[in-house]
Amino acid sequence: MASYPRIFPLLRRKPPSTIRSLVSCCKCLQKEGHASRWASRHPTTSTSSSLRNVRFASTEASLPKSTFVPLKPSSSSPLGILSKSIGGEVPPAGFFPATTENSVAYWLIGSAASVFGIVVFGGLTRLTESGLSITEWRPVTGSVPPVSASDWDSEFSKYKSSPEFRLLNQHMTLPEFKKIYYMEWTHRLWGRLVGLTFVIPAAYFIARRKVSGPMSAKIVGIGGLIGLQGVLGWWMVKSGLKDDLFAPGSHPRVSQYRLTAHLGTAFLCYSAMVWNGLSILRENRLLRDPVAATKELATLRSPTLAPLRRSAGVVAGLVFLTAMSGGLVAGLDAGLIYNDFPYMGMGFTPPRSELFSDFYSRRPDGSDIWWRNMLENPSTVQLDHRILATTTFSAIMALWAYGRFGRGGAIRAAMPHAVKRGVNSVVHLVWLQVVLGISTLIYLVPVPLAAAHQASALALLTGTVVLGSRVWVPRRAARLVAEKLGARASLEKMHGIVRSPTRPFGTQNLAKTGPATLGPARKSTERLLGGNAPAATTTATTITTTT
């Protein structure tokens, strides 16, 4: 029972109705004592559960047993889940939660930024011809660079046995070798850090159940891509260390096929990180306000925007394909020929005999002359890259024009503001990429311009991914929003039935309970109702029972 110093000030301040609600019979006081002793022995049971049991017991004691029918909602109904949450019980659930925390999204975007940096640095490593300086693949022990003079002499001796040193760098000194060695060593160390900073947090987030089931599978897939990227990197370097992997008398270089595979895996890994990070943030934003989310999703589902959604996917595919053709250009050093634009020699294209030369065919019948020239002939590869770049630029500008003037301005009126900004960003990025590409070609591929051109290609791909995340309809998020709205409607309906505006026979008021007592109950209710918890958790509640 409450002490006198606490009751007397309460009696002076409160009206008579509140004083009557504080008075209980002896049986109620006995049951209240049993409930308090139970709460002290079982700390997991919340205080709000004890108060609720006492007040319902008081109501039950005041009514005949034959007329008292307790309300027992179904455990699977929304009200049943709410009552279990208020009472301290946790409803059964699977291992993974329904949604992913925003911290996982920030980590994915940070990992994507690290991948962006290593892609640009890898381009610098290739442009400075440093990629073949380390002739061994040691994933663990290779993390430490040579320290002593004997270690440096050993590494330099291994490099002297490579085709690149014998054919190109016979006069290279040890200080010059150290420069290209540190470039390749930094690139490999950065790759190891990317793997560690991804795998360790991924294991933590999954073990701590901070990611949903589908997102955990995607994270594991991205981790597999990172591991594959490391294997492809060594497979690429290995192609430039043996004489039998390239034509006799040719420039020692890595295979353009393996270089493109290495670059493509990096682009896919980066895009997956950005896409999933943005999808997590968008899903949580939609679930914070299901009503506004329903309107936003309805706008995106409009048939007026359907062509825009498909066009965004096509544009992203074109950007990726153009970047992969740029990998072939880099692997063949095709940017060092035909250094003018838009012409290639005397016309817009080289002669047909040069584009489809018999020199690149390896079959007697010449059946492979088409695809081998398109992938191995530097002139044809550069022409392909020009055609794909022009097509991508035209497609993006057509997308912008369609969004601005299509259907008499109806497309622009239906586009959300975020989608408009995404389209404008892609237009700006593609113009920057075109200017950098033409400048790189005209000035004979200088290292700063070539590295900026590669970075701009990845930035343009980022813009298309962001645009796709804004214009695409997230099916899983839409389903979660619909479920949350349905649960809210059911709870409000049941809440209206329990809370009667009238006060018939048997009505009894609960004492006023502060936030410290009903804190867990309010949090549970807010979690179910999306932040709009009923005021009953902090004010007096009327429980109505009828005879």
Side-chain angles (χ1 to χ4, degrees), residues 390-415:
T390 305
T391 304
T392 303
F393 175 78
S394 302
I396 292 177
M397 296 309 299
L399 176 64
W400 172 82
Y402 177 76
R404 189 174 183 85
F405 307 108
R407 299 185 181 181
I411 305 295
R412 184 181 182 182
M415 288 170 57

Side-chain angles (χ1 to χ4, degrees), residues 111-135:
S111 300
S114 181
V115 173
F116 188 100
I118 196 176
V119 168
V120 177
F121 193 82
L124 289 172
T125 304
R126 177 187 55 81
L127 290 168
T128 55
E129 297 183 351
S130 306
L132 300 178
S133 58
I134 302 179
T135 59

Side-chain angles (χ1 to χ4, degrees), residues 440-462:
T440 303
L441 182 67
I442 293 175
Y443 290 101
L444 299 176
V445 195
V447 173
L449 279 178
H453 183 52
Q454 182 176 357
S456 179
L458 193 53
L460 178 59
L461 182 63
T462 306

